[in-house]
Structure formats: C-alpha cells, structure tokens
Amino acid sequence: MRLFEITGSQVEEHDALAPLALPGACRLGYLWISLTREEFRASLAQVQGILQSLCGTQLVDLHVSDLLNDQLPSHYDYTSLYDVLVFRRLAAGAAAPRAEGEPRLARGGPPVLRRVDTRPVGFAVFDRVLLSVHPDDGAVRDAYAAKLLAAARNDRPEGTAPALDVRATSARVPTSPADLMLRVVNQIVDAYLDLRRELTRQLDHWQAELIDPKSRFTNWSALMEARQSLHHLDEICEDQRAAVQDWIDAMETLPTPDTAPELRERELLMVRSRDVLEHIERVVHHVRRLEQNAETAVQMHFSVQSHRANDIMRVLTVLTAIFLPLNLIAGIFGMNFEFIPLVHKADGFWIAMASMGVIALSLVVVFWRKRYLARTGR
C-alpha cells in the first residue's frame, strides 16, 4: 500500500490510512491511494471511510467487484460523483502469479511472446481522491511513484537540492486525480510500445527463415503461438481504445467550466486523453501489421516450397523426355527378331550409340532454348 498527498508541486507519502480520514486531511490538494487487490480487499472498510469523508460518497458494490476482478477487460464506467477506468497492463514477467483456474496464454515460444500476458489495473477517479488497485507486484505503481517523488523534488524553489536524475521525471506534478490517472495509463501504454519492437524483431527473424529457400523451418508451433498472441494483443488494445474513447466522450459531455484556469485544466486533460488514445491506436495499427506480415510470410513460404517442387518436377519431366526415345531405340534392338538392321554389322553398336547420343544432345539443346532447364533466379 502506498499513499500520497499531492498539494501543488509538493508530494508527501503517508504510511497509514487512518490519519487521512480526519476532517482536515488533504484540504488543499488531493490524495492518491494505491493498493494491490489483496490490500484493497483487506482495507475496504477504511478506504470507503476515507472516500466518504473526503468526497461525500463511497464506491458502489459493482465497482468494488470490478476493481477486485483479476479477469476484467479494459472498460470505462461512471457515476455522477466519480469515474471508474479499468486498464490492462502487461504482466511484469513470464513468471507472474496467476489466480487459481486462470487459463494460460502464450506460454511457449520465444521469451518475448511470454510477455503478451496482462493484468488489469483499476482506477476510481474522484474530485479529491484517485484510488488505484493494482496486481500483486505493483510494478506500475512503484515505477510511477518514483517519477512522482522525483518530479516533486525537481519543483523545489531555487537554492534547494535538485533531483538526481532530471531526465527521468515529468515536467510537473499532476494537478488533479484525472491528470494523475492519465499519466499512469500513458506509462502502461508505453510498455506496449516497447513490446511491439521486440515482436517486430522476432517476426522479422522468422520471415527471413520462411522466405529463405535453403532453410528448413520447423518452428511452426512457436509461429502459431505468435499469431495467437498477436490476436490476443489486438483484442486487448481494442478494449483499451474503447475504454479511453468512452472516457473522452464522457469528458466532452461535462458542462464548460466557468473560470479560465478550470477551462485550461479541462483542455489539458483532453489533450492528454487524446495523446493516450493516439498511442493505443499506434499499438493497434502495428499489431495488425505484424499479424498481416506473419500471414504473408507463411503464404510466401508455401509459395516458395511449391515453386521449388515445380522446378524439381520440371527437371524430372525433361529428363524423362530425353531418355524416352533412347529407351525406344533400346527396346527395338532388344526384340527377338532374327533380321534387324545393324544387328549383324560389326559397327552397328557404335552407330546405334551415336544415334542415341545425337538424339539426347538435340533434345537437351531444344529444351535449353525453350528454358525448360533454366534455373529460376532468386
């Protein structure tokens, strides 16, 4: 469990939920409550009390079930007082823990394919609180928490010590729970952008093997698993795009703010939301292109194999055509007739052999000129 109180450019991390439920807590800023699913299940009553104290409402039972569900796809829902966004992130690694009875997906093949495995991250966005529920490892939460604390150190006034690594932080601290949620979601999408590069390298390697006529590609099971993984990834990204698009549509239906700062904040949220949507669409486009490339490579592989088989059959057919008249001559002179021309002559054998050689050479020249024996250029 990690708890952050964000006021302007100041970020303070707390150790317990109880002080945050006091009436004067988080008066000027907002609160980020980040828990794993087990922590959320264990401290649900405390979390609901904080939400009631700070926001005047609690999570409804269906949304609590959604946040605790480890199998839920990406989706968006809302009430009049808060929004709920579930967004599936990549699992931390191939050995990520799974719930009992959960099916395994894309566990074979190269290591990059084992990463096409996801876990849902749930967000409940209130006016003064962001509640995020993560898988047990909490990798996304910890990674962004480090950026958030570093950004707060970088925003200190002149004369104070700067952060150690300015490049690893954002330009400013998020100004609202919605802004913070979009930044975390953007970090999740960036992991998909990194994954697509690894998938591209793996599929390029397979395409080179499939198209090479000299290679004997046998890794069909891994290729089929790659296609299934890409299809699964496409479905995940489509759900993500639909969820973010629903979030944008809901924001567009809100009343126009009365003050200029609030209007600018709304516009910045819309810009960040569209940027997240654009990143997701890039991933979807790239995944579909990889699926098409994999299918095209398989088709080209079988086309090359079929062309090679046709070349072999053409050569065998030409050889058969060359030896057919020679077999005919040999069959004629092998008949058991007493009187056959050239049989009783001393040079009859050499005349027959010379005639067979001329016929064979003539057929080779004819077939070569017609390009029946020409090798196909690669």
Side-chain angles (χ1 to χ4, degrees), residues 104-116 199 202-203 206 217 219-233 291 294 298:
R104 291 181 174 269
L105 296 172
R107 309 307 291 174
V112 61
L113 299 178
R114 302 172 194 170
R115 290 189 55 199
V116 185
L199 285 172
Q202 180 62 58
L203 290 177
W206 279 340
F217 186 82
N219 202 12
W220 291 106
S221 61
L223 182 59
M224 295 300 104
E225 288 174 351
R227 294 176 62 186
Q228 294 176 2
S229 299
L230 289 172
H231 183 68
H232 177 56
L233 186 58
E291 285 188 278
V298 172

Side-chain angles (χ1 to χ4, degrees), residues 13 21 108 116 195 200 239 324:
E13 185 169 4
V116 185
L195 175 64
T200 299
D239 291 338
L324 185 61

Side-chain angles (χ1 to χ4, degrees), residues 9 37 51 76 111 127 145 148 178 189 224 258 283 296 305 333 341:
S9 61
R37 285 189 172 79
L51 295 178
Y76 169 75
D127 290 337
L148 184 63
V189 176
M224 295 300 104
D258 297 330
V283 177
T296 302
Q305 296 300 320
F333 279 92

Side-chain angles (χ1 to χ4, degrees), residues 23-151:
C26 198
R27 181 177 300 174
L28 299 177
Y30 64 93
L31 189 66
W32 179 22
I33 304 176
S34 178
L35 311 95
T36 64
R37 285 189 172 79
E38 292 301 323
E39 293 170 344
F40 181 58
R41 184 179 288 108
S43 58
L44 178 60
Q46 289 180 284
V47 172
Q48 294 282 45
I50 292 176
L51 295 178
Q52 183 65 46
S53 174
L54 298 180
C55 306
T57 186
Q58 295 183 354
L59 290 170
V60 299
D61 294 340
L62 290 177
H63 289 159
V64 172
S65 301
D66 289 346
L67 295 176
L68 290 174
N69 190 352
D70 194 41
Q71 303 299 315
L72 201 66
S74 301
H75 80 285
Y76 169 75
D77 198 5
Y78 64 94
T79 67
S80 60
L81 297 176
Y82 66 89
D83 299 303
V84 173
L85 179 69
V86 176
F87 205 86
R88 296 191 71 91
R89 71 164 177 85
L90 290 174
R98 285 185 169 272
E100 184 178 356
E102 182 179 352
R104 291 181 174 269
L105 296 172
R107 309 307 291 174
V112 61
L113 299 178
R114 302 172 194 170
R115 290 189 55 199
V116 185
D117 190 13
T118 61
R119 295 288 185 275
V121 178
F123 301 92
V125 185
F126 297 80
D127 290 337
R128 297 178 60 192
V129 176
L130 173 64
L131 172 65
S132 62
V133 182
H134 301 261
D136 293 336
D137 55 16
V140 171
R141 173 196 63 187
D142 296 337
Y144 189 77
K147 291 184 177 181
L148 184 63
L149 293 173

